[in-house]
Amino acid sequence: MVKSSHEAMHRIFQKEPGIFTRTFRSLGIPFPETVDVGVLTTDLTETEPLERRLDTLLRVETAEGRPYLLAVESQGRRDPAKRSSWPYYLAYLHAKYGIDPVLLVVCQDEATARWAARPIRVGPPEWPSLTVRLMVLGPHNVPVVTDPSTAARDIPLATFSAITHGKDPNAAAILEALASALKTLDEETAVIFGELTELGLGDSPAAHIWRDLMAVDLSFFRSESSQRLRAEGKAEGKAEGKAEAVVQVLEQRGFAVPEEARDRIRACADTEVLGRWLARAVTASSVEDVLA
């Protein structure tokens, strides 16, 4: 027995399915004529666990105070099953977190990228109930980075460029620029981005080029000159830190540090001298006493 207006509004479609077509036709929405209807269970609970996993899911906070979810999928080829999974991912994420989601698909070839970028429409063509638009990155819109200095300014972008353009005829130049840029990093970070690049290239011909480059270029970190440069860099950083500490202690004690004195302190590269100045700065009665 129908017990509420809520039930009546949906039960009428069970009693007379044809009313759906007739009603919407009167509204100018030409659904095709109904020939048969099967009533299915309304329970959408999944009785068996169905594993669905994203490649990466991030919650992104913004300056405007409107966070969003960034779901990332790596797609190496066309997969019709994914076009039904992607709308599910977005709907599920929105329902679970209550935050607007964005699904980003990363591709390595333009054909797959173009395929993934096509809107996904769920529902009959007369009235799509859901239209899903994905954000797609691939060789067609990721910049090609072949200049070592450009690559050094943004290593992550250069790495991403190398991965997405791994099948490009210009891949060797992109990889050479990245390999050169990695020399500007410390060894641990360079190895991390080097391994990310190798994993992203998979078993493509570009992966062999990259391994050959790394066999030569990562030896830079083990060379005598590289070790000397790193030691000099550490010493320089230590001196800069002590120089700033001298200035800060003097300022915190209320002294006005003249520009000439600042320049002298910051120009000093002798950590022993800077150490003496720092010790004096704690008790000295003037800036001149510190630098005497």
Side-chain angles (χ1 to χ4, degrees):
M1 173 180 283
V2 178
K3 297 181 179 180
S4 70
S5 59
H6 171 81
E7 280 193 283
M9 286 189 295
H10 70 81
R11 284 276 186 98
I12 191 172
F13 291 96
Q14 296 179 19
K15 185 68 176 177
E16 178 49 62
I19 195 175
F20 173 80
T21 304
R22 295 195 301 274
T23 302
F24 279 85
R25 187 174 293 151
S26 69
L27 297 175
I29 305 171
F31 273 89
E33 189 65 34
T34 302
V35 295
D36 190 25
V37 174
V39 178
L40 306 177
T41 177
T42 58
D43 186 358
L44 302 183
T45 304
E46 295 178 355
T47 56
E48 295 183 4
L50 180 61
E51 185 173 345
R52 297 181 188 268
R53 289 183 180 274
L54 286 162
D55 291 334
T56 297
L57 178 62
L58 306 172
R59 177 188 168 117
V60 182
E61 303 289 344
T62 68
E64 291 79 8
R66 293 186 293 106
Y68 65 90
L69 299 176
L70 179 61
V72 185
E73 284 275 273
S74 177
Q75 194 66 28
R77 58 182 176 80
R78 298 186 184 193
D79 183 359
K82 279 299 180 73
R83 291 184 68 80
S84 61
S85 296
W86 288 333
Y88 173 88
Y89 291 165
L90 289 168
Y92 176 83
L93 291 171
H94 188 268
K96 180 176 181 180
Y97 295 98
I99 300 174
D100 289 329
V102 175
L103 180 55
L104 171 64
V105 180
V106 182
C107 306
Q108 279 189 302
D109 66 272
E110 187 169 346
T112 302
R114 301 287 183 190
W115 165 80
R118 295 203 311 262
I120 302 171
R121 294 182 175 86
V122 179
E126 295 78 12
W127 189 266
S129 301
L130 177 67
T131 300
V132 174
R133 295 173 63 239
L134 307 177
M135 182 179 290
V136 180
L137 292 177
H140 65 299
N141 57 5
V142 173
V144 174
V145 180
T146 56
D147 177 54
S149 60
T150 303
R153 285 196 295 270
D154 196 335
I155 299 289
L157 177 61
T159 302
F160 191 52
S161 175
I163 293 172
T164 52
H165 292 280
K167 298 179 182 179
D168 190 279
N170 209 26
I174 301 171
L175 295 174
E176 287 170 4
L178 176 58
S180 177
L182 292 184
K183 293 180 180 179
T184 65
L185 303 176
D186 60 275
E187 181 178 6
E188 183 179 356
T189 307
V191 168
I192 290 172
F193 280 103
E195 290 179 351
L196 281 173
T197 304
E198 183 170 347
L199 288 170
L201 293 172
D203 58 356
S204 65
H208 300 292
I209 298 174
W210 182 246
R211 281 191 285 270
D212 290 342
L213 284 170
M214 288 298 92
V216 175
D217 286 355
L218 284 186
S219 64
F220 166 83
F221 294 101
R222 295 182 288 273
S223 67
E224 183 178 338
S225 59
S226 171
Q227 291 175 9
R228 185 183 70 253
L229 287 171
R230 286 204 299 278
E232 291 173 355
K234 289 179 181 178
E236 182 179 348
K238 189 175 181 181
E240 289 177 355
K242 280 193 174 184
E244 288 302 318
V246 172
V247 175
Q248 288 177 13
V249 169
L250 289 170
E251 289 179 336
Q252 288 172 2
R253 294 190 60 212
F255 293 115
V257 183
E259 197 62 35
E260 183 180 348
R262 287 175 186 269
D263 292 342
R264 181 181 173 190
I265 294 169
R266 288 170 176 164
C268 181
D270 190 325
T271 55
E272 290 187 9
V273 172
L274 287 167
R276 287 198 296 272
W277 287 351
L278 182 57
R280 291 177 188 169
V282 177
T283 58
S285 57
S286 67
V287 175
E288 290 74 17
D289 287 346
V290 171
L291 303 179

